[in-house]
Amino acid sequence: MTTHGRLLDFFSLEASEYLARLEAMANKQGLQSSEAAQFAAAARGLRGSATMAKAGDLARLAASVERIASGVVQGVTSWEPE
């Protein structure tokens, strides 16, 4: 297997974990500050992993989710599951 193939395999596993965390938290009715920080950390992890795997579209999407979560952490954005 090529290095690129192994990187994509690793990314698939790692991204699945980040996405599972994001999905579980996104479905909550409200996020406490510590939960919002965990949400932002999962989005940041997904962005970093996608960047390393050269999955640019997913990295940009994760960056958008990270910005929203950062707004919730800072109290600038209210959390609405919708």
Side-chain angles (χ1 to χ4, degrees), residues 6-25:
R6 282 184 272 162
L7 177 63
L8 288 177
D9 287 345
F10 177 76
F11 171 68
S12 294
L13 290 173
E14 192 171 55
S16 295
E17 291 175 20
Y18 286 127
L19 289 169
R21 283 187 228 159
L22 290 167
E23 181 179 23
M25 287 185 268

Side-chain angles (χ1 to χ4, degrees), residues 24-37 39-40 69 72 79:
M25 287 185 268
N27 289 323
K28 292 187 171 196
Q29 287 300 315
L31 286 182
Q32 301 299 318
S33 181
S34 64
E35 293 171 318
F39 191 83
V72 173
W79 180 256

